[in-house]
Amino acid sequence: MNVLVINCGSSSLKYQVLDMRTESMLAKGLVERIGIEGSVIIHEKTGDSEKFKLEVPMANHTEAIAHVLEAITNPEHGVVKSMDEIGAVGHRVVHAGEKYCSSVVITPDVIKALEECIQLAPLHNPPNLAGIAACKALMPNTPMVGVFDTAYHQTMPPESYIYAIPYEYYEKYRIRRYGFHGTSHKYVAERAAEILGKNIKDLKLITCHLGNGASVTAIKNGKSIDTSMGFTPLEGLVMGTRSGDIDPAISTFISDKENLKPGEINDILNKKSGVLGISGVSSDFRDLETAAEDGNERAILALKVFAHKVRFYIGAYIAEMNGVDAIIFTAGVGENDIGMRDIICSELENLGIKIDLLKNKVRGKETILSADDSRIKIMLIPTNEELMIARDTFNLCK
Ligand code: ADP
């Protein structure tokens, strides 16, 4: 069966077509500037040296999906003869609240449940739902599956997810920690178990998804028991532009001093903070490292603060799980930033964590980075959220 994976943002859309007999990617693509002037689709057929690019107005997600379907069935750069050859569609959906702890076939009831979660993810769930509606309109007979960023963390125990604020806010508004990046944490954890030749149920893992958005998860016996993101993706690690954990009193303090509204504070904490906020240089770690090499003190500080927070969570999760068997790095920074992995893993020998600096000189390739005498394995595993979505979709629709 071929599966189409759709990841719909507010003005962009990523897609992949996978052949599930071999789990190989047949094509992938990106639509940008949906609903904005200059809409464009960039489509890449696996094995083709040239990408297909078309600039054409796309007023909404339905028009964008129509172009995606055209691209994947196109006689020249397409990968299927007709849409009949797409057996199912898997949709990435950010927030399923407490409703789903695993992927589900999308029914009218599921759509209703996801609409109820819009208040929890007002920026993310509406475009995800728009993508589902667009596919439903254009491929009414193809089964669809929702794969949720929050689902994997639904196994967290209450002591991990309850905030110490009046309990009525949990009861009234479902304010609790949810966690995100679940598909990625699950993928790399399962892959780590495979590489180590162990049953995931016998392992304690710490997965570090370090991208522009970043989170760390403690996985005990195959289940997420804690993760650094919370009610929203703002909590936890320092990120590209997000503050991560801060004293909540800072919000009201800045609001008073600068005469800012709650929405403006939210914007500052989500878009102007993190390593960008500290450095004033960039949210991109490559730029920060270049600036740091040139002696930029604030870029150096931003990198140190980022590493400090990752180490902080690793230590906390080792305590929570009473040990760890492997620490896994993934996503843009985790897969590519050799220097950052060095700093995060340095001087942890007393915990049994010893990185091999030579083995660590690698980017984007599954590798064991720890020294042979390191009690705890350190691993680099590139994430593959699309494959995970396609797997869940295939398993629910085959
Ligand atoms: P997201 O999916 O959250 O947008 P990614 O996982 O794609 O993020 O990670 C993007 C980030 O990865 C970039 O902002 C950049 O900081 C970092 N990154 C990518 N390549 C490198 C590299 N070679 N060295 C250091 N950082 C890198």
Side-chain angles (χ1 to χ4, degrees):
M1 182 199 282
N2 295 320
V3 169
L4 171 63
V5 173
I6 300 275
N7 182 353
C8 235
S10 56
S11 65
S12 70
L13 180 169
K14 286 189 222 154
Y15 65 91
Q16 276 192 16
V17 182
L18 292 101
D19 178 347
M20 295 315 288
R21 285 171 305 185
T22 50
E23 292 197 332
S24 53
M25 185 182 70
L26 303 177
K28 68 174 176 182
L30 172 69
V31 183
E32 288 182 303
R33 302 181 65 84
I34 301 167
I36 312 172
E37 204 181 329
S39 309
V40 59
I41 176 167
I42 302 159
H43 172 89
E44 205 178 335
K45 178 177 173 180
T46 305
D48 273 8
S49 53
E50 279 197 22
K51 293 181 190 173
F52 165 77
K53 186 174 170 187
L54 177 69
E55 273 192 48
V56 58
M58 292 180 231
N60 53 44
H61 288 86
T62 309
E63 289 182 19
I65 301 263
H67 280 285
V68 171
L69 303 189
E70 203 308 292
I72 63 181
T73 53
N74 185 284
E76 269 171 40
H77 49 260
V79 288
V80 290
K81 285 199 190 74
S82 79
M83 286 314 292
D84 295 344
E85 291 178 29
I86 299 288
V89 183
H91 291 270
R92 178 198 178 208
V93 179
V94 169
H95 218 309
E98 291 180 316
K99 311 250 188 216
Y100 302 110
C101 57
S102 59
S103 305
V104 291
V105 173
I106 297 172
T107 62
D109 280 348
V110 172
I111 291 181
K112 207 165 143 241
L114 297 177
E115 281 169 352
E116 282 166 20
C117 292
I118 287 178
Q119 55 165 343
L120 299 173
L123 296 180
H124 293 105
N125 272 27
N128 299 159
L129 282 160
I132 294 171
C135 284
K136 283 253 174 234
L138 296 166
M139 336 163 50
N141 300 320
T142 309
M144 316 249 164
V145 168
V147 180
F148 314 110
D149 273 22
T150 49
Y152 187 57
H153 303 299
Q154 279 294 301
T155 46
M156 282 196 285
E159 60 268 33
S160 296
Y161 70 69
I162 289 292
Y163 287 113
I165 58 174
Y167 195 74
E168 65 189 84
Y169 297 128
Y170 171 58
E171 292 173 316
K172 266 206 242 173
Y173 307 119
R174 289 289 171 244
I175 295 179
R176 51 158 282 180
R177 306 186 63 253
Y178 289 100
F180 298 88
H181 291 144
T183 312
S184 174
H185 288 293
K186 184 174 180 217
Y187 173 79
V188 296
E190 288 181 357
R191 199 58 208 122
E194 272 170 29
I195 295 168
L196 296 172
K198 296 255 172 74
N199 188 327
I200 194 160
K201 295 205 168 113
D202 300 327
L203 287 171
K204 295 171 183 174
L205 304 170
I206 296 175
T207 49
C208 306
H209 177 111
L210 311 179
N212 194 23
S215 65
V216 186
T217 297
I219 299 164
K220 193 173 179 185
N221 309 331
K223 288 188 176 154
S224 165
I225 61 145
D226 209 346
T227 191
S228 58
M229 283 180 168
F231 178 59
T232 74
L234 186 55
E235 190 180 341
L237 298 178
V238 170
M239 307 180 210
T241 62
R242 295 190 193 119
S243 65
D245 302 329
I246 58 164
D247 182 337
I250 294 169
S251 295
T252 41
F253 188 89
I254 298 178
S255 165
D256 285 347
K257 290 279 180 205
E258 304 259 324
N259 198 18
L260 295 172
K261 298 193 184 72
E264 293 172 312
I265 296 286
N266 206 27
D267 220 44
I268 290 172
L269 296 179
N270 273 291
K271 296 186 184 153
K272 296 181 180 153
S273 299
V275 289
L276 168 70
I278 300 172
S279 68
V281 172
S282 171
S283 62
D284 192 305
F285 283 66
R286 287 163 289 200
D287 300 338
L288 290 173
E289 272 147 26
T290 308
E293 276 161 27
D294 292 342
N296 183 313
E297 290 294 335
R298 272 170 52 192
I300 296 170
L301 180 62
L303 293 167
K304 281 187 177 167
V305 175
F306 178 87
H308 166 264
K309 205 72 197 190
V310 179
R311 287 163 66 87
F312 179 92
Y313 272 99
I314 289 175
Y317 289 166
I318 292 174
E320 269 198 73
M321 294 195 287
N322 189 18
V324 63
D325 297 300
I327 297 170
I328 298 121
F329 287 98
T330 196
V333 178
E335 289 169 27
N336 296 299
D337 197 331
I338 297 166
M340 182 51 70
R341 289 195 306 254
D342 270 355
I343 303 169
I344 292 170
C345 297
S346 67
E347 293 178 48
L348 294 175
E349 291 85 356
N350 278 344
L351 291 175
I353 301 167
K354 207 164 141 191
I355 196 159
D356 183 318
L357 296 181
L358 276 179
K359 288 185 192 162
N360 188 39
K361 287 198 191 307
V362 60
R363 291 197 171 98
K365 205 172 106 212
E366 284 185 353
T367 314
I368 295 187
L369 309 171
S370 40
D372 292 341
D373 60 346
S374 178
R375 193 161 43 78
I376 293 158
K377 293 271 187 290
I378 307 169
M379 307 171 83
L380 159 51
I381 302 180
T383 194
N384 195 340
E385 292 165 273
E386 289 78 13
L387 175 58
M388 209 62 195
I389 294 171
R391 267 185 199 160
D392 278 7
T393 304
F394 174 66
N395 287 331
L396 285 167
C397 298
K398 66 185 173 190

